[in-house]
Amino acid sequence: MMKNKTSIKGNIHYVGVNDRQKHLFENLWPLPQGISYNSYLIDDKKIALIDTVDVCYFEAHLRKIKSIIGDRPIDYLVINHMEPDHSGSIRLIKQYYPDIILVGNHHTSCMIEGFYGIVDEQCIVNDGDHLELGSCKLSFRLTPMVHWPETMMTYCAREKVLFSGDAFGCFGALGGGFIDDNIYTDIYWEEMVRYYSNIVGKYGGPVQKALTKLGNIPVSAICPAHGPVWTTFLNTARVLSLYRKLSRYDGDDGVVVVYGSMYGNTEQMAEAIAAELSAQGVMNVIVHNLSKSHSSYILSDIFKFKGLIVGCPTYNGQLYPEMEALLSKIAGRDMKNRYFSYFGSFSWAGAAVKKLSEFAEKSNFELVGQPVEMKHAMKEETYAECEALARAMAKKIVRTTKY
Ligand code: FEO
């Protein structure tokens, strides 16, 4: 049976676009499978557009809009989020639809002026406010810092559809269709965790508040700003449950071992630790070489698992630079609820272990086991120390597995 190419439910349509060209989201995070910029159109007595798309894709966006409403004007542009991947086409939309009314909250308007120089009168909404479109009535929930101060969600009670902005979104362009029930969704679950940990990860508290604010509103479809539209009961429940877990910084049973190594000696410490973790019954042991794994994927795994062991050599009297960069990204996300340990090496004057201990002290992590410091290369006692550290970590992980 031929399916409509834009319809989601009732008079709600998908008018988003795929970006398979950009290599790095925010010029930071890899996009091996691209990304979608989702936008939605409600074709009611009054027509409302919810968010726009990256400005590079405006032509495709406009063509989709016109395929639904022809030459009729759009009455409202609801701005759930001002990051330019969604707001980038506001100025052009305004040129094509000069009478369109921009709808946002008090944080949105100064950003509209700042980014796009638009000072026209806007419709400022607050928590719980409504906007009548005809048969649909939209209501708004302000969800600051999920992921910017102005972020909000929009809800259509008649269709029970939640337009959630960045929340519940994921990396990965869409393969033709956009509704979960009609497309292959396996890749998006991993990409949802990576998106969360990379983009929203710092804001666990605000995400918790947003989830509380949503309460038990009935949801038949979640329409995020990136990735598939989630419509099945199982998927909407899974999306919400994943966000509850990630925002609490709850990790699964497992340990991420991340190391830097110039000539393979520090790498052998990581291998010894990983092998002992496995021997002690830890099923999920994820090992990352900092110089090969992109930090985007390392962060994603750190969000997934409750154990973290890091190690690196001393470099110019400091931490190995790649480790320094990773620790800054971990600290920038206010990570909590992790069992943590570390190891390091040096050739003539040790600094790595000292620097890692300073990180440990400042972190919210529980230090586990005795950190290991190695001079030059592995010796029998280094193996023994690495294995002892791994056993201490395994005890935490395997013990929690049993309950
Ligand atoms: Fe998809 Fe925070 O922008």
Side-chain angles (χ1 to χ4, degrees):
M1 187 188 72
M2 184 83 143
K3 293 191 173 80
N4 183 301
K5 287 183 185 157
T6 60
S7 181
I8 297 173
K9 271 177 194 293
N11 54 7
I12 301 175
H13 296 265
Y14 179 86
V15 290
V17 297
N18 289 305
D19 182 346
R20 300 177 205 281
Q21 297 188 23
K22 197 188 288 291
H23 286 276
L24 295 173
F25 186 70
E26 295 180 342
N27 243 342
L28 287 169
W29 315 108
L31 293 173
Q33 297 170 108
I35 189 163
S36 71
Y37 310 119
N38 297 347
S39 167
Y40 303 94
L41 187 86
I42 305 173
D43 183 12
D44 210 327
K45 192 169 168 202
K46 297 277 188 185
I47 297 173
L49 181 65
I50 300 189
D51 289 320
T52 69
V53 300
D54 185 299
V55 68
C56 299
Y57 293 86
F58 177 71
E59 290 286 342
H61 181 45
L62 185 65
R63 194 164 55 245
K64 283 193 181 179
I65 292 170
K66 285 189 172 291
S67 77
I68 300 161
I69 59 171
D71 290 330
R72 284 182 292 149
I74 304 174
D75 297 283
Y76 298 107
L77 169 59
V78 175
I79 301 167
N80 277 341
H81 185 19
M82 276 300 293
E83 193 167 4
D85 51 331
H86 310 293
S87 71
S89 294
I90 288 180
R91 187 161 33 207
L92 288 170
I93 282 284
K94 188 84 180 127
Q95 279 174 19
Y96 276 81
Y97 300 100
D99 296 327
I100 197 167
I101 296 170
L102 306 188
V103 182
N105 55 70
H106 61 289
H107 286 295
T108 321
S109 48
C110 80
M111 291 189 183
I112 294 172
E113 182 180 355
F115 278 109
Y116 305 111
I118 297 171
V119 292
D120 299 15
E121 195 179 335
Q122 290 153 24
C123 172
I124 305 293
V125 297
N126 215 325
D127 246 338
D129 283 354
H130 292 97
L131 182 67
E132 296 278 357
L133 299 180
S135 61
C136 282
K137 183 161 77 170
L138 299 179
S139 62
F140 306 98
R141 280 159 182 78
L142 273 52
T143 52
M145 302 319 299
V146 185
H147 140 233
W148 280 14
E150 85 303 349
T151 44
M152 64 181 199
M153 297 190 192
T154 300
Y155 180 65
C156 170
R158 193 191 74 171
E159 300 295 344
K160 302 183 180 61
V161 170
L162 178 69
F163 303 96
S164 60
D166 274 348
F168 317 126
C170 56
F171 295 129
L174 296 164
F178 50 87
I179 293 182
D180 56 352
D181 220 10
N182 305 331
I183 59 174
Y184 178 71
T185 56
D186 282 12
I187 63 155
Y188 299 110
W189 294 106
E190 279 288 317
E191 288 294 68
M192 190 176 291
V193 177
R194 191 164 70 91
Y195 184 86
Y196 181 92
S197 60
N198 291 187
I199 310 299
V200 191
K202 178 180 170 58
Y203 306 111
V207 170
Q208 293 263 303
K209 280 186 190 150
L211 290 168
T212 304
K213 198 176 268 190
L214 290 176
N216 292 320
I217 57 164
V219 173
S220 70
I222 294 176
C223 294
H226 302 286
V229 171
W230 303 103
T231 63
T232 70
F233 176 75
L234 277 180
N235 283 342
T236 53
R238 184 173 170 185
V239 162
L240 288 162
S241 144
L242 185 61
Y243 257 63
R244 272 185 216 107
K245 184 172 179 179
L246 290 168
S247 61
R248 287 194 304 254
Y249 299 88
D250 281 352
D252 286 335
D253 297 327
V255 182
V256 182
V257 181
V258 190
Y259 70 91
S261 183
M262 286 183 277
Y263 295 100
N265 291 306
T266 318
E267 181 174 59
Q268 288 311 308
M269 300 176 84
E271 292 289 3
I273 289 167
E276 185 65 19
L277 284 167
S278 182
Q280 292 296 320
V282 180
M283 286 275 291
N284 297 307
V285 179
I286 316 293
V287 182
H288 283 290
N289 173 354
L290 265 173
S291 303
K292 287 195 83 174
S293 300
H294 194 286
S295 60
S296 172
Y297 294 88
I298 301 174
L299 286 171
S300 190
D301 284 333
I302 293 172
F303 267 78
K304 270 193 254 172
F305 298 107
K306 61 177 67 157
L308 173 62
I309 303 175
V310 301
C312 70
T314 301
Y315 192 91
N316 286 344
Q318 298 291 327
L319 274 178
Y320 192 59
E322 300 296 324
M323 180 60 77
E324 185 120 45
L326 178 72
L327 296 185
S328 148
K329 286 172 184 153
I330 294 171
R333 281 160 179 74
D334 287 343
M335 289 290 304
K336 300 170 185 62
N337 302 340
R338 292 293 176 275
Y339 298 119
F340 180 71
S341 199
Y342 54 92
F343 57 94
S345 63
F346 66 98
S347 295
W348 65 93
V353 162
K354 183 169 175 294
K355 297 278 177 191
L356 291 171
S357 78
E358 288 166 10
F359 171 82
E361 271 169 35
K362 282 191 213 144
S363 74
N364 297 306
F365 301 156
E366 179 181 332
L367 183 63
V368 173
Q370 182 64 42
V372 184
E373 184 168 44
M374 174 181 79
K375 186 172 184 181
H376 298 153
M378 295 292 276
K379 297 164 190 70
E380 281 312 311
E381 65 262 29
T382 330
Y383 281 104
E385 288 165 3
C386 287
E387 286 161 8
L389 184 159
R391 281 195 295 279
M393 180 63 81
K395 223 167 157 184
K396 291 285 185 185
I397 304 297
V398 175
R399 191 194 68 189
T400 57
T401 304
K402 285 179 182 162
Y403 293 99

